[in-house]
Amino acid sequence: MTKVNWGILGAARIVEKVLPIIANSIYGELVAIGSRRRDAAKLLINKTSPELINKVQAYNGFDSVINHPKINAIYIPLANEDHTPTALKAIRSKKHVLIEKPMAIKVSDVELILNEAKKYDVKIMEGFMYAFHPQFERLLDIIKSNILGEINYAHSMFSFPIQPSRHYRINRPVKLGGGALWDIGPYAIHTLRQCFKENPLRVYAQSKLNEYGADISTTGMIDFGDNKRATFDISFECTRRSEIEVFGPAGRAKIPTIWQPEDHKGKVVYSTEKSGYHEEIVPMSSHFELEFKHFNESILKKTPPKLSFQDALWNIKTLEAIQKSIEIKEWILL
Ligand SMILES: NC(=O)c1ccc[n+]([C@@H]2O[C@H](COP(=O)([O-])OP(=O)(O)OC[C@H]3O[C@@H](n4cnc5c(N)ncnc54)[C@H](OP(=O)(O)O)[C@@H]3O)[C@@H](O)[C@H]2O)c1
C-alpha cells in the first residue's frame, strides 16, 4: 500500500475545510463521503471541490462508506454523541479511524473503542489538529529548554460568541454532550495536559448553564500535583480568544492564536527574567494538512500515532471529571 484511501462520514461544517485537505493529502486519497441527509454529500463536494465530483463517490448513508472495499481509513467528524457507534462500526469493518475531538463523551465508550481497535488491529487517533502545528512544537521546545524554569502554572482560554445557527450545540445538558465543555473544552484542557506532560490529580469547575443545562461558560482549575496548577476559561459569550500561556519561575511563554491560527501563520511570544521579551513568527502551516500527513504515515509505516490511546483515555477522564465537578460543585479526584 502506497496511499491511504479515505472515507468521510457526515457532511459536517468542518468537512468543508477538511475534504480538500484529505483529497490532496500527502500519501492519501479521498474515495467517498456519506451523509444521512439526501444529496448532502454530493452538494458538499460540489461546494468545496467541484473538480472531485467525478472522482469521489457521494453516498446517502454511512454503510456504503464503512463497508467500501477500497477504503482503509475513515474520518469521523460527526456530532460528539455519534462518535462511538460509528467508530465501532468502522473498526469492525477493519478501517483505521481518525475521530474528531472529543473521541467520545464517556470514559467507558473510549475504553470500548480502544479495546475494539486493538482486537481488529487498526489505528485510532483523536483529532487534535493543533498539536501538529509547528507553533505548538515550538512552545513545547521552549518549555523543554528550561529557560522558563520548570513550569508550575498555565492558563488556557477559548471563546467566541456562538452564532444562532449553531444553537443545536447548546440545546441539551452538559451530561449529554451539550455546551462549551464538550465543544471547545477539549482543546483548552488537552493543551494544558500536553504542556505539563502530566495527568491531573483533581479538577474543579464552575459553569453558567442555559435553560437546557448546557454550559455557556465554564471556568476551571486543574491540579497536576507537585505544585503544578492550571486554569482554563471557555465561553460561548465572550469575544474570540484562542490562547495558551505557561509560566515558570524564570519566564513565561504564550501562543496567542493556538487553535484558530486563521492565516495559518503561527506566533510564539516569550519573556525571561534574564533575556527579556521575544516574539517569533512561525512559518505558514495548515495543521489539518500536517495531521492527515502524520496519520497516513502512521498507517503506511505501521508506527504509533503521535496522539496515543492513553492520551485519548486521559482526555475523556479529565473532561468527564470536570463535568462531574460542574454538576456537584466539588473537587473531583481522578
Ligand atoms: N478540529 C477542528 O478544528 C474542529 C472544528 C469544528 C468541529 N470539530 C469537531 O468535529 C465534529 C463535527 O463538528 P461540526 O461543527 O463540523 O459538525 P456539524 O456541522 O454540526 O455537523 C455534525 C453532523 O450533523 C449533520 N448535519 C450537518 N449539518 C446539518 C444540518 N443542517 N441539519 C441536520 N444535520 C446536519 C451531519 O451529518 P449528516 O451529513 O450525516 O447529516 C454532520 O456530520 C465535532 O466532533 C466537533 O467537536 C472539530
Side-chain angles (χ1 to χ4, degrees), residues 9-15 17 34-37 40 62 75-80 82-83 100-102 127 129 166 168-169 182-183 187 259 287-288:
L9 301 185
R13 194 180 52 132
I14 180 75
V15 177
K17 214 181 272 180
S35 167
R36 293 160 294 189
R37 284 164 299 137
F62 293 159
Y75 175 54
I76 300 185
L78 297 170
N80 298 337
D82 292 338
H83 289 183
E100 265 305 336
K101 43 53 66 176
M129 73 307 173
R166 315 302 288 169
Y168 63 85
R169 288 177 166 192
W182 292 106
D183 195 326
Y187 293 115
W259 307 292
H287 46 203
F288 283 115

Side-chain angles (χ1 to χ4, degrees), residues 79-96:
N80 298 337
E81 50 274 33
D82 292 338
H83 289 183
T84 303
T86 45
L88 291 175
K89 276 190 179 174
I91 292 166
R92 288 169 186 156
S93 182
K94 286 201 145 262
K95 313 293 189 207
H96 305 284

Side-chain angles (χ1 to χ4, degrees), residues 301-319:
K301 294 181 182 167
K302 301 188 188 332
T303 49
K306 174 172 170 151
L307 301 173
S308 68
F309 274 15
Q310 281 306 315
D311 182 58
L313 195 58
W314 270 98
N315 193 41
I316 310 305
K317 268 188 189 175
T318 310
L319 286 158

